[in-house]
Each structure stands twice: as C-alpha cells, then as structure tokens.
Amino acid sequence: MKFKSILLAAGLLWAGLAQADTVALWGFNQVGVNAQNQPVYSTKPTYTDHGGAFLDTLGVSTTFVSQSGSSDTTGGSMALNTAGYASQGTGDRTTGVQFSIDTTGFQDIVLTFDQRNSATASAWTALLYTIDGENWVEATTFRMLRDSVFVKGLGFNFSDIAGVDDNANFAVQLVSMFAPGTQAYAGTGGNYGTGGTIRYDMVQFAGSLIPEVDVPEVPEPASIALAVVALGAMGLSIRRRKQA
C-alpha cells in the first residue's frame, strides 16, 4: 500500500479537518482536585463523541507536565510526558503510546497531534494503525528536527485507507523507531539515551458523520394479506356494478 508523505498529507490533513467533527480528543485538562486541593489530571480523553476512546502505554511511564508551546490554550491544562524508552539498538517500534478509537458512525478520519522531544529522545517516530485490533500496519513516520519545543499539527489523513471508517476496532500507535536504514536510534538533538522523553498534547481524531440512508418500510405479511383481500373485495364490487 502506498502511503502519503508528511508533506503531501499536510494539505489533505487540514482540508479534511475543515468540516470535520471531533470523534475523540486528548487535551489532558484538569479533571478535579485531590484531598490536598492539588489539581488532578487524567489520561482519559477530554472529549469523545460516544465514549469509545482509550489511551494505553507501550513499555513507557507517563507524567503530566507543562503544555507550554503546544496548541492547547486551555487554562490549567497539561501535556502527557512519556519516559523509559528502549535501550540503544533494541525495541524498534515497540515503545510509546496507543490510542484506541471507536469510529462507528464516522468516515474520513484524520489524526492531528502536537509532539515535543527532549534532546536524547529518538528523532524518529512511527505511526502504526490497526483495523482489527491485532494486525498493525505502518502508516507513516515523523522526524523531529528540533528538541525541547512543541511541533504543532503533526498528523495523518486516514480517509483513503479501507477499514478505518465506521470501525469499533480502530487504533493507532506512536512508537520510537530506529533511524531509517539503521539498527539504532538517532537522538533528536544529540546522542540517543534512555533518559529521553517525548511529550504529546492535543491528540485529536476527527471525521465526518456517515449520512443516514432511509430504508423503505417493508409491509408485514399480515398487512399484505389484508391489502390483497381489500383489493379483491373492491374488484368484486366493481364487477357487480357493471353487471347491474
């Protein structure tokens, strides 16, 4: 399957978002306070259209940190920080985060997100997806050219990929990968190290509602029988009038 490059997808990405509805969004906003009156944040989605959206970690730990520089302007919001990535030369495309999204009722799905790498984090991230919950396919890859700043509006347009629309089993993974053509990670701003971190914010899945199709009502057998009897009676009455 031929996938769009990041540059080619950029125009289609924003065109797809122009008239789209949000299916699920992770903004990592404050959800309350604890007993010590400190803010509490959650990895649960900030918004879902019908509840079928979940975030899972893949071999990494998470904390909530400043979202400064991301596209999130909500007061008191945070970003999700991921840490504990694989050692150099191991775990290619296995560590990161997974977002599971029920796209039932939606089509033309588009993913957008903001990402911020530390200097020693892997410069390369792979976007994988599944339509059956078991088999994963690489959609595209992203290379972070700068560290310690958010890159806003990264993403991918899934509208041309069969099976993503109207699917309760759709999910994506954002995972660290070896530099292309090598067996090692390349650091974003220097040498790769396991202390590297990656932040995510404003992870959004958008799409358009699938139009409802009106299905003509099929009469029940009993109704059909009554209609036949009525037509027969009408025909008999007409014949009698003619004979008279």
Side-chain angles (χ1 to χ4, degrees):
M1 183 182 294
K2 184 177 180 181
F3 296 106
K4 308 176 184 71
S5 68
I6 298 174
L7 292 176
L8 179 60
L12 295 173
L13 189 68
W14 294 109
L17 284 173
Q19 298 182 350
D21 297 307
T22 298
V23 182
L25 168 68
W26 279 264
F28 307 109
N29 298 343
Q30 183 178 337
V31 295
V33 295
N34 60 18
Q36 290 73 41
N37 204 37
Q38 297 172 325
V40 174
Y41 301 91
S42 173
T43 57
K44 292 182 179 180
T46 306
Y47 170 84
T48 60
D49 180 79
H50 48 275
F54 307 94
L55 166 63
D56 296 295
T57 56
L58 305 169
V60 298
S61 60
T62 60
T63 53
F64 296 104
V65 296
S66 172
Q67 98 291 15
S68 178
S70 81
S71 56
D72 191 355
T73 59
T74 304
S77 181
M78 301 289 270
L80 183 74
N81 191 61
T82 60
Y85 283 87
S87 301
Q88 180 63 284
T90 67
D92 182 37
R93 293 174 173 83
T94 62
T95 52
V97 289
Q98 175 177 318
F99 297 90
S100 303
I101 313 93
D102 181 357
T103 64
T104 300
F106 287 90
Q107 61 186 1
D108 301 329
I109 304 301
V110 175
L111 161 67
T112 56
F113 61 95
D114 299 345
Q115 181 173 331
R116 180 184 188 274
N117 284 22
S118 69
T120 56
S122 170
W124 292 88
T125 299
L127 172 64
L128 313 180
Y129 74 93
T130 181
I131 58 174
D132 61 10
E134 296 181 5
N135 299 292
W136 294 87
V137 180
E138 184 174 292
T140 193
T141 60
F142 304 96
R143 183 185 181 186
M144 301 292 283
L145 298 176
R146 298 177 61 192
D147 66 89
S148 305
V149 294
F150 267 106
V151 177
K152 297 180 281 188
L154 296 172
F156 190 79
N157 190 333
F158 287 94
S159 60
D160 290 338
I161 299 181
V164 173
D165 298 346
D166 201 28
N167 186 348
N169 296 313
F170 176 61
V172 304
Q173 294 179 348
L174 289 166
V175 288
S176 288
M177 61 174 284
F178 294 159
T182 74
Q183 295 297 310
Y185 299 106
T188 304
N191 293 327
Y192 174 81
T194 56
T197 63
I198 299 177
R199 298 183 190 184
Y200 293 103
D201 200 10
M202 295 304 288
V203 181
Q204 180 181 24
F205 293 85
S208 56
L209 288 169
I210 297 174
E212 293 185 4
V213 178
D214 292 329
V215 179
E217 256 187 57
V218 178
E220 296 181 1
S223 300
I224 295 174
L226 286 173
V228 171
V229 171
L231 288 172
M234 186 181 298
L236 180 60
S237 176
I238 292 171
R239 278 201 306 273
R240 286 176 176 172
R241 287 176 184 174
K242 287 182 177 180
Q243 290 173 353

Short mmCIF file of all heavy atoms in Angstrom, two decimals, residues 85-151:
data_model
loop_
_atom_site.label_atom_id
_atom_site.label_comp_id
_atom_site.label_asym_id
_atom_site.label_seq_id
_atom_site.Cartn_x
_atom_site.Cartn_y
_atom_site.Cartn_z
N TYR A 85 12.09 4.83 27.51
CA TYR A 85 12.17 4.19 26.20
C TYR A 85 13.30 3.15 26.15
O TYR A 85 14.16 3.09 27.02
CB TYR A 85 12.34 5.26 25.11
CG TYR A 85 11.04 5.98 24.81
CD1 TYR A 85 10.66 7.10 25.54
CD2 TYR A 85 10.18 5.51 23.83
CE1 TYR A 85 9.45 7.75 25.28
CE2 TYR A 85 8.97 6.14 23.56
CZ TYR A 85 8.61 7.26 24.29
OH TYR A 85 7.40 7.87 24.04
N ALA A 86 13.28 2.34 25.10
CA ALA A 86 14.18 1.19 24.98
C ALA A 86 15.64 1.61 24.90
O ALA A 86 15.98 2.71 24.47
CB ALA A 86 13.81 0.37 23.76
N SER A 87 16.52 0.67 25.29
CA SER A 87 17.96 0.89 25.18
C SER A 87 18.38 0.97 23.72
O SER A 87 17.69 0.44 22.83
CB SER A 87 18.72 -0.23 25.88
OG SER A 87 18.37 -0.31 27.25
N GLN A 88 19.50 1.61 23.48
CA GLN A 88 20.01 1.76 22.12
C GLN A 88 20.11 0.41 21.42
O GLN A 88 20.62 -0.57 21.97
CB GLN A 88 21.39 2.43 22.14
CG GLN A 88 22.02 2.63 20.79
CD GLN A 88 21.21 3.57 19.87
OE1 GLN A 88 20.19 3.15 19.33
NE2 GLN A 88 21.67 4.81 19.73
N GLY A 89 19.59 0.36 20.20
CA GLY A 89 19.67 -0.85 19.40
C GLY A 89 18.65 -1.92 19.73
O GLY A 89 18.71 -3.02 19.17
N THR A 90 17.68 -1.62 20.60
CA THR A 90 16.66 -2.61 20.98
C THR A 90 15.26 -2.00 20.86
O THR A 90 15.10 -0.77 20.90
CB THR A 90 16.85 -3.11 22.42
OG1 THR A 90 16.58 -2.03 23.34
CG2 THR A 90 18.27 -3.61 22.65
N GLY A 91 14.27 -2.87 20.73
CA GLY A 91 12.87 -2.43 20.83
C GLY A 91 12.37 -1.52 19.74
O GLY A 91 11.51 -0.68 19.98
N ASP A 92 12.88 -1.69 18.53
CA ASP A 92 12.42 -0.85 17.43
C ASP A 92 10.90 -0.93 17.26
O ASP A 92 10.33 -2.01 17.16
CB ASP A 92 13.11 -1.30 16.13
CG ASP A 92 12.73 -0.46 14.93
OD1 ASP A 92 12.55 0.77 15.09
OD2 ASP A 92 12.60 -1.02 13.83
N ARG A 93 10.23 0.22 17.26
CA ARG A 93 8.78 0.33 17.05
C ARG A 93 7.96 -0.43 18.09
O ARG A 93 6.89 -0.96 17.78
CB ARG A 93 8.40 -0.15 15.65
CG ARG A 93 8.92 0.72 14.50
CD ARG A 93 8.61 0.07 13.16
NE ARG A 93 8.93 0.92 12.03
CZ ARG A 93 10.14 1.03 11.49
NH1 ARG A 93 11.15 0.33 12.00
NH2 ARG A 93 10.34 1.83 10.46
N THR A 94 8.42 -0.49 19.33
CA THR A 94 7.67 -1.22 20.37
C THR A 94 7.30 -0.35 21.57
O THR A 94 6.45 -0.76 22.36
CB THR A 94 8.47 -2.43 20.88
OG1 THR A 94 9.69 -1.97 21.49
CG2 THR A 94 8.78 -3.41 19.75
N THR A 95 7.92 0.82 21.73
CA THR A 95 7.66 1.63 22.93
C THR A 95 7.04 2.96 22.55
O THR A 95 7.47 3.62 21.61
CB THR A 95 8.96 1.88 23.72
OG1 THR A 95 9.96 2.40 22.82
CG2 THR A 95 9.48 0.58 24.33
N GLY A 96 6.01 3.34 23.30
CA GLY A 96 5.32 4.59 23.03
C GLY A 96 3.92 4.58 23.60
O GLY A 96 3.69 4.10 24.71
N VAL A 97 2.97 5.10 22.84
CA VAL A 97 1.58 5.20 23.30
C VAL A 97 0.63 4.67 22.23
O VAL A 97 0.94 4.66 21.05
CB VAL A 97 1.21 6.66 23.64
CG1 VAL A 97 1.92 7.12 24.91
CG2 VAL A 97 1.53 7.60 22.48
N GLN A 98 -0.53 4.23 22.72
CA GLN A 98 -1.56 3.70 21.82
C GLN A 98 -2.88 4.38 22.11
O GLN A 98 -3.29 4.53 23.27
CB GLN A 98 -1.70 2.19 22.00
CG GLN A 98 -2.85 1.57 21.20
CD GLN A 98 -2.91 0.06 21.33
OE1 GLN A 98 -1.88 -0.62 21.31
NE2 GLN A 98 -4.11 -0.48 21.48
N PHE A 99 -3.57 4.80 21.05
CA PHE A 99 -4.89 5.41 21.15
C PHE A 99 -5.88 4.52 20.41
O PHE A 99 -5.72 4.27 19.21
CB PHE A 99 -4.89 6.81 20.54
CG PHE A 99 -3.98 7.79 21.23
CD1 PHE A 99 -2.66 7.94 20.82
CD2 PHE A 99 -4.45 8.55 22.29
CE1 PHE A 99 -1.82 8.83 21.46
CE2 PHE A 99 -3.61 9.46 22.94
CZ PHE A 99 -2.29 9.59 22.52
N SER A 100 -6.89 4.04 21.13
CA SER A 100 -7.94 3.20 20.54
C SER A 100 -9.20 4.05 20.41
O SER A 100 -9.64 4.66 21.39
CB SER A 100 -8.22 1.99 21.42
OG SER A 100 -7.04 1.24 21.62
N ILE A 101 -9.77 4.09 19.21
CA ILE A 101 -10.89 4.98 18.93
C ILE A 101 -11.99 4.24 18.18
O ILE A 101 -11.76 3.68 17.11
CB ILE A 101 -10.45 6.20 18.08
CG1 ILE A 101 -9.19 6.82 18.65
CG2 ILE A 101 -11.56 7.25 18.00
CD1 ILE A 101 -7.94 6.27 18.01
N ASP A 102 -13.18 4.25 18.73
CA ASP A 102 -14.34 3.68 18.04
C ASP A 102 -14.84 4.71 17.04
O ASP A 102 -15.35 5.77 17.41
CB ASP A 102 -15.41 3.36 19.08
CG ASP A 102 -16.66 2.74 18.48
OD1 ASP A 102 -16.74 2.62 17.24
OD2 ASP A 102 -17.57 2.38 19.25
N THR A 103 -14.69 4.41 15.75
CA THR A 103 -15.12 5.36 14.71
C THR A 103 -16.52 5.04 14.17
O THR A 103 -16.89 5.53 13.10
CB THR A 103 -14.12 5.37 13.53
OG1 THR A 103 -14.12 4.08 12.90
CG2 THR A 103 -12.72 5.71 14.01
N THR A 104 -17.28 4.24 14.90
CA THR A 104 -18.62 3.89 14.45
C THR A 104 -19.44 5.15 14.14
O THR A 104 -19.53 6.06 14.96
CB THR A 104 -19.35 3.06 15.53
OG1 THR A 104 -18.61 1.87 15.79
CG2 THR A 104 -20.75 2.71 15.08
N GLY A 105 -20.01 5.19 12.95
CA GLY A 105 -20.81 6.33 12.54
C GLY A 105 -20.03 7.45 11.88
O GLY A 105 -20.61 8.44 11.45
N PHE A 106 -18.68 7.28 11.79
CA PHE A 106 -17.85 8.32 11.20
C PHE A 106 -17.03 7.79 10.03
O PHE A 106 -16.68 6.62 9.98
CB PHE A 106 -16.90 8.91 12.24
CG PHE A 106 -17.57 9.79 13.27
CD1 PHE A 106 -18.08 9.25 14.43
CD2 PHE A 106 -17.71 11.15 13.04
CE1 PHE A 106 -18.70 10.04 15.38
CE2 PHE A 106 -18.33 11.96 13.98
CZ PHE A 106 -18.83 11.40 15.16
N GLN A 107 -16.68 8.69 9.13
CA GLN A 107 -15.83 8.36 7.99
C GLN A 107 -14.79 9.47 7.80
O GLN A 107 -14.84 10.51 8.46
CB GLN A 107 -16.66 8.22 6.72
CG GLN A 107 -17.41 9.47 6.32
CD GLN A 107 -18.35 9.25 5.15
OE1 GLN A 107 -18.48 8.16 4.62
NE2 GLN A 107 -19.04 10.32 4.72
N ASP A 108 -13.82 9.24 6.89
CA ASP A 108 -12.79 10.23 6.58
C ASP A 108 -12.05 10.69 7.84
O ASP A 108 -11.96 11.89 8.15
CB ASP A 108 -13.40 11.44 5.86
CG ASP A 108 -14.09 11.04 4.55
OD1 ASP A 108 -13.63 10.06 3.93
OD2 ASP A 108 -15.07 11.69 4.18
N ILE A 109 -11.47 9.74 8.55
CA ILE A 109 -10.82 10.01 9.83
C ILE A 109 -9.47 10.70 9.62
O ILE A 109 -8.66 10.29 8.78
CB ILE A 109 -10.62 8.70 10.62
CG1 ILE A 109 -11.97 7.98 10.81
CG2 ILE A 109 -9.95 8.98 11.96
CD1 ILE A 109 -13.01 8.79 11.55
N VAL A 110 -9.22 11.74 10.40
CA VAL A 110 -7.97 12.49 10.37
C VAL A 110 -7.42 12.59 11.78
O VAL A 110 -8.14 12.93 12.72
CB VAL A 110 -8.17 13.90 9.79
CG1 VAL A 110 -6.88 14.71 9.86
CG2 VAL A 110 -8.65 13.83 8.35
N LEU A 111 -6.13 12.30 11.93
CA LEU A 111 -5.44 12.41 13.22
C LEU A 111 -4.52 13.63 13.20
O LEU A 111 -3.79 13.84 12.23
CB LEU A 111 -4.59 11.16 13.48
CG LEU A 111 -3.48 11.28 14.54
CD1 LEU A 111 -4.07 11.49 15.94
CD2 LEU A 111 -2.58 10.05 14.51
N THR A 112 -4.55 14.43 14.27
CA THR A 112 -3.58 15.52 14.45
C THR A 112 -3.08 15.49 15.89
O THR A 112 -3.81 15.07 16.80
CB THR A 112 -4.17 16.91 14.16
OG1 THR A 112 -5.33 17.10 14.98
CG2 THR A 112 -4.54 17.06 12.69
N PHE A 113 -1.84 15.95 16.12
CA PHE A 113 -1.30 15.98 17.48
C PHE A 113 -0.08 16.91 17.52
O PHE A 113 0.50 17.25 16.50
CB PHE A 113 -0.90 14.58 17.95
CG PHE A 113 0.16 13.91 17.12
CD1 PHE A 113 1.50 13.98 17.47
CD2 PHE A 113 -0.18 13.20 15.97
CE1 PHE A 113 2.49 13.37 16.70
CE2 PHE A 113 0.80 12.58 15.19
CZ PHE A 113 2.12 12.67 15.56
N ASP A 114 0.28 17.31 18.75
CA ASP A 114 1.49 18.09 18.99
C ASP A 114 2.50 17.19 19.69
O ASP A 114 2.12 16.39 20.56
CB ASP A 114 1.20 19.29 19.89
CG ASP A 114 0.19 20.27 19.29
OD1 ASP A 114 -0.07 20.18 18.07
OD2 ASP A 114 -0.34 21.11 20.04
N GLN A 115 3.77 17.32 19.34
CA GLN A 115 4.82 16.47 19.92
C GLN A 115 6.04 17.32 20.28
O GLN A 115 6.44 18.22 19.53
CB GLN A 115 5.22 15.36 18.94
CG GLN A 115 6.28 14.41 19.46
CD GLN A 115 6.52 13.23 18.53
OE1 GLN A 115 5.61 12.81 17.82
NE2 GLN A 115 7.72 12.69 18.53
N ARG A 116 6.65 16.98 21.43
CA ARG A 116 7.85 17.69 21.90
C ARG A 116 8.86 16.66 22.39
O ARG A 116 8.60 15.92 23.33
CB ARG A 116 7.49 18.65 23.02
CG ARG A 116 8.65 19.47 23.61
CD ARG A 116 8.13 20.29 24.77
NE ARG A 116 9.09 21.25 25.29
CZ ARG A 116 10.02 20.98 26.21
NH1 ARG A 116 10.12 19.74 26.70
NH2 ARG A 116 10.85 21.93 26.64
N ASN A 117 10.02 16.60 21.77
CA ASN A 117 11.07 15.65 22.14
C ASN A 117 12.16 16.34 22.96
O ASN A 117 12.51 17.49 22.68
CB ASN A 117 11.73 15.06 20.89
CG ASN A 117 10.89 14.01 20.21
OD1 ASN A 117 9.68 13.97 20.39
ND2 ASN A 117 11.52 13.18 19.40
N SER A 118 12.71 15.60 23.91
CA SER A 118 13.93 16.07 24.55
C SER A 118 15.10 15.76 23.62
O SER A 118 14.95 15.01 22.64
CB SER A 118 14.13 15.40 25.91
OG SER A 118 14.42 14.02 25.73
N ALA A 119 16.28 16.29 23.92
CA ALA A 119 17.42 16.14 23.03
C ALA A 119 17.83 14.70 22.82
O ALA A 119 18.26 14.31 21.72
CB ALA A 119 18.61 16.96 23.56
N THR A 120 17.71 13.85 23.86
CA THR A 120 18.19 12.47 23.74
C THR A 120 17.10 11.48 23.34
O THR A 120 17.35 10.28 23.25
CB THR A 120 18.82 12.01 25.07
OG1 THR A 120 17.85 12.18 26.12
CG2 THR A 120 20.06 12.83 25.39
N ALA A 121 15.87 11.98 23.09
CA ALA A 121 14.80 11.09 22.62
C ALA A 121 15.02 10.73 21.16
O ALA A 121 15.69 11.46 20.42
CB ALA A 121 13.45 11.77 22.79
N SER A 122 14.44 9.62 20.74
CA SER A 122 14.55 9.22 19.34
C SER A 122 13.96 10.28 18.42
O SER A 122 12.83 10.75 18.62
CB SER A 122 13.81 7.90 19.10
OG SER A 122 13.72 7.60 17.72
N ALA A 123 14.73 10.67 17.42
CA ALA A 123 14.25 11.68 16.48
C ALA A 123 13.14 11.16 15.59
O ALA A 123 12.37 11.93 15.02
CB ALA A 123 15.41 12.18 15.61
N TRP A 124 13.04 9.84 15.48
CA TRP A 124 12.07 9.22 14.57
C TRP A 124 10.95 8.54 15.34
O TRP A 124 11.20 7.78 16.27
CB TRP A 124 12.78 8.20 13.67
CG TRP A 124 13.72 8.81 12.68
CD1 TRP A 124 15.03 9.11 12.87
CD2 TRP A 124 13.40 9.22 11.35
NE1 TRP A 124 15.57 9.67 11.74
CE2 TRP A 124 14.59 9.75 10.79
CE3 TRP A 124 12.25 9.19 10.58
CZ2 TRP A 124 14.65 10.25 9.49
CZ3 TRP A 124 12.31 9.68 9.28
CH2 TRP A 124 13.49 10.20 8.75
N THR A 125 9.72 8.82 14.91
CA THR A 125 8.53 8.20 15.48
C THR A 125 7.73 7.56 14.35
O THR A 125 7.54 8.18 13.29
CB THR A 125 7.64 9.24 16.19
OG1 THR A 125 8.37 9.83 17.26
CG2 THR A 125 6.37 8.59 16.75
N ALA A 126 7.27 6.35 14.56
CA ALA A 126 6.44 5.65 13.58
C ALA A 126 4.97 5.71 14.00
O ALA A 126 4.66 5.58 15.19
CB ALA A 126 6.88 4.20 13.42
N LEU A 127 4.10 5.94 13.03
CA LEU A 127 2.66 5.89 13.27
C LEU A 127 2.15 4.57 12.69
O LEU A 127 2.20 4.35 11.48
CB LEU A 127 1.96 7.06 12.59
CG LEU A 127 0.43 7.03 12.58
CD1 LEU A 127 -0.12 7.10 14.00
CD2 LEU A 127 -0.14 8.17 11.73
N LEU A 128 1.67 3.69 13.57
CA LEU A 128 1.10 2.41 13.17
C LEU A 128 -0.41 2.45 13.38
O LEU A 128 -0.91 3.19 14.23
CB LEU A 128 1.71 1.26 14.00
CG LEU A 128 3.23 1.23 14.16
CD1 LEU A 128 3.63 0.03 15.02
CD2 LEU A 128 3.92 1.18 12.82
N TYR A 129 -1.14 1.63 12.64
CA TYR A 129 -2.58 1.56 12.85
C TYR A 129 -3.06 0.12 12.67
O TYR A 129 -2.41 -0.72 12.04
CB TYR A 129 -3.34 2.48 11.88
CG TYR A 129 -3.40 1.98 10.46
CD1 TYR A 129 -4.48 1.22 10.01
CD2 TYR A 129 -2.37 2.25 9.56
CE1 TYR A 129 -4.53 0.75 8.70
CE2 TYR A 129 -2.42 1.80 8.25
CZ TYR A 129 -3.50 1.05 7.83
OH TYR A 129 -3.55 0.57 6.54
N THR A 130 -4.23 -0.15 13.25
CA THR A 130 -4.87 -1.45 13.09
C THR A 130 -6.36 -1.25 12.84
O THR A 130 -6.96 -0.29 13.34
CB THR A 130 -4.68 -2.33 14.34
OG1 THR A 130 -5.30 -3.61 14.14
CG2 THR A 130 -5.28 -1.69 15.58
N ILE A 131 -6.94 -2.14 12.04
CA ILE A 131 -8.39 -2.09 11.82
C ILE A 131 -9.08 -3.32 12.40
O ILE A 131 -10.30 -3.43 12.35
CB ILE A 131 -8.74 -1.96 10.32
CG1 ILE A 131 -8.16 -3.12 9.51
CG2 ILE A 131 -8.26 -0.62 9.78
CD1 ILE A 131 -8.58 -3.12 8.05
N ASP A 132 -8.27 -4.24 12.96
CA ASP A 132 -8.87 -5.43 13.58
C ASP A 132 -8.41 -5.64 15.02
O ASP A 132 -8.78 -6.62 15.65
CB ASP A 132 -8.55 -6.68 12.74
CG ASP A 132 -7.06 -6.96 12.61
OD1 ASP A 132 -6.25 -6.31 13.31
OD2 ASP A 132 -6.69 -7.82 11.78
N GLY A 133 -7.59 -4.73 15.54
CA GLY A 133 -7.12 -4.84 16.91
C GLY A 133 -5.97 -5.79 17.11
O GLY A 133 -5.47 -5.93 18.23
N GLU A 134 -5.49 -6.42 16.05
CA GLU A 134 -4.41 -7.40 16.17
C GLU A 134 -3.25 -7.13 15.22
O GLU A 134 -2.08 -7.17 15.61
CB GLU A 134 -4.95 -8.82 15.93
CG GLU A 134 -5.96 -9.28 16.96
CD GLU A 134 -6.44 -10.71 16.69
OE1 GLU A 134 -5.91 -11.35 15.76
OE2 GLU A 134 -7.35 -11.16 17.40
N ASN A 135 -3.54 -6.88 13.97
CA ASN A 135 -2.50 -6.69 12.95
C ASN A 135 -2.23 -5.20 12.74
O ASN A 135 -3.16 -4.42 12.53
CB ASN A 135 -2.94 -7.34 11.64
CG ASN A 135 -3.17 -8.83 11.79
OD1 ASN A 135 -2.24 -9.59 12.00
ND2 ASN A 135 -4.43 -9.27 11.69
N TRP A 136 -0.94 -4.84 12.80
CA TRP A 136 -0.55 -3.44 12.73
C TRP A 136 0.18 -3.14 11.42
O TRP A 136 0.99 -3.94 10.95
CB TRP A 136 0.34 -3.09 13.92
CG TRP A 136 -0.41 -3.16 15.22
CD1 TRP A 136 -0.59 -4.26 16.00
CD2 TRP A 136 -1.11 -2.10 15.85
NE1 TRP A 136 -1.36 -3.95 17.09
CE2 TRP A 136 -1.70 -2.63 17.04
CE3 TRP A 136 -1.30 -0.75 15.55
CZ2 TRP A 136 -2.44 -1.85 17.90
CZ3 TRP A 136 -2.06 0.03 16.41
CH2 TRP A 136 -2.62 -0.52 17.57
N VAL A 137 -0.12 -1.97 10.86
CA VAL A 137 0.47 -1.52 9.60
C VAL A 137 1.08 -0.14 9.82
O VAL A 137 0.51 0.70 10.54
CB VAL A 137 -0.61 -1.43 8.49
CG1 VAL A 137 0.00 -0.95 7.18
CG2 VAL A 137 -1.29 -2.78 8.31
N GLU A 138 2.24 0.11 9.22
CA GLU A 138 2.86 1.43 9.35
C GLU A 138 2.21 2.40 8.36
O GLU A 138 2.21 2.17 7.15
CB GLU A 138 4.36 1.35 9.09
CG GLU A 138 5.08 2.68 9.30
CD GLU A 138 6.58 2.54 9.19
OE1 GLU A 138 7.18 1.88 10.08
OE2 GLU A 138 7.14 3.07 8.21
N ALA A 139 1.68 3.49 8.88
CA ALA A 139 1.04 4.50 8.03
C ALA A 139 2.06 5.51 7.52
O ALA A 139 2.08 5.84 6.34
CB ALA A 139 -0.06 5.22 8.80
N THR A 140 2.92 5.99 8.43
CA THR A 140 3.94 6.97 8.05
C THR A 140 4.93 7.09 9.19
O THR A 140 4.79 6.44 10.24
CB THR A 140 3.30 8.35 7.74
OG1 THR A 140 4.26 9.18 7.11
CG2 THR A 140 2.78 9.01 8.99
N THR A 141 5.96 7.92 8.99
CA THR A 141 6.94 8.19 10.04
C THR A 141 7.13 9.70 10.16
O THR A 141 6.88 10.46 9.21
CB THR A 141 8.30 7.54 9.74
OG1 THR A 141 8.82 8.05 8.50
CG2 THR A 141 8.15 6.02 9.65
N PHE A 142 7.56 10.13 11.34
CA PHE A 142 7.82 11.54 11.60
C PHE A 142 9.25 11.70 12.11
O PHE A 142 9.71 10.92 12.95
CB PHE A 142 6.85 12.09 12.67
CG PHE A 142 5.40 11.91 12.33
CD1 PHE A 142 4.69 10.82 12.82
CD2 PHE A 142 4.74 12.82 11.52
CE1 PHE A 142 3.35 10.65 12.52
CE2 PHE A 142 3.41 12.66 11.21
CZ PHE A 142 2.70 11.57 11.70
N ARG A 143 9.93 12.72 11.64
CA ARG A 143 11.26 13.03 12.13
C ARG A 143 11.24 14.40 12.82
O ARG A 143 10.84 15.39 12.22
CB ARG A 143 12.28 13.06 11.00
CG ARG A 143 13.71 13.31 11.51
CD ARG A 143 14.70 13.45 10.39
NE ARG A 143 16.04 13.67 10.90
CZ ARG A 143 17.10 13.95 10.15
NH1 ARG A 143 16.98 14.01 8.82
NH2 ARG A 143 18.29 14.15 10.71
N MET A 144 11.64 14.42 14.07
CA MET A 144 11.71 15.67 14.83
C MET A 144 13.08 16.29 14.60
O MET A 144 14.11 15.70 14.94
CB MET A 144 11.47 15.39 16.30
CG MET A 144 10.12 14.75 16.60
SD MET A 144 8.75 15.87 16.29
CE MET A 144 8.87 16.89 17.76
N LEU A 145 13.08 17.49 14.05
CA LEU A 145 14.33 18.15 13.70
C LEU A 145 14.85 19.07 14.81
O LEU A 145 16.02 19.48 14.79
CB LEU A 145 14.14 18.99 12.43
CG LEU A 145 13.75 18.18 11.18
CD1 LEU A 145 13.48 19.12 10.00
CD2 LEU A 145 14.84 17.19 10.82
N ARG A 146 13.98 19.39 15.77
CA ARG A 146 14.38 20.25 16.88
C ARG A 146 13.94 19.63 18.19
O ARG A 146 12.91 18.96 18.26
CB ARG A 146 13.75 21.64 16.74
CG ARG A 146 14.18 22.42 15.50
CD ARG A 146 13.44 23.74 15.43
NE ARG A 146 13.73 24.59 16.58
CZ ARG A 146 13.04 25.69 16.88
NH1 ARG A 146 12.00 26.04 16.12
NH2 ARG A 146 13.35 26.42 17.92
N ASP A 147 14.72 19.84 19.24
CA ASP A 147 14.34 19.32 20.55
C ASP A 147 13.86 20.46 21.46
O ASP A 147 14.11 21.64 21.19
CB ASP A 147 15.54 18.61 21.21
CG ASP A 147 16.68 19.56 21.53
OD1 ASP A 147 16.70 20.14 22.64
OD2 ASP A 147 17.56 19.75 20.66
N SER A 148 13.14 20.04 22.49
CA SER A 148 12.69 20.96 23.56
C SER A 148 11.69 22.01 23.10
O SER A 148 11.49 23.02 23.79
CB SER A 148 13.90 21.64 24.22
OG SER A 148 14.83 20.66 24.68
N VAL A 149 11.04 21.80 21.97
CA VAL A 149 9.95 22.68 21.52
C VAL A 149 8.85 21.80 20.94
O VAL A 149 9.12 20.76 20.35
CB VAL A 149 10.41 23.69 20.46
CG1 VAL A 149 11.39 24.70 21.04
CG2 VAL A 149 11.01 22.99 19.25
N PHE A 150 7.61 22.25 21.12
CA PHE A 150 6.49 21.52 20.53
C PHE A 150 6.44 21.75 19.02
O PHE A 150 6.57 22.88 18.54
CB PHE A 150 5.17 21.98 21.14
CG PHE A 150 4.72 21.15 22.31
CD1 PHE A 150 4.80 21.64 23.60
CD2 PHE A 150 4.21 19.87 22.12
CE1 PHE A 150 4.37 20.88 24.68
CE2 PHE A 150 3.79 19.09 23.18
CZ PHE A 150 3.86 19.61 24.47
N VAL A 151 6.27 20.67 18.29
CA VAL A 151 5.94 20.76 16.87
C VAL A 151 4.43 20.54 16.79
O VAL A 151 3.92 19.48 17.17
CB VAL A 151 6.69 19.70 16.04
CG1 VAL A 151 6.26 19.77 14.58
CG2 VAL A 151 8.19 19.91 16.17
#
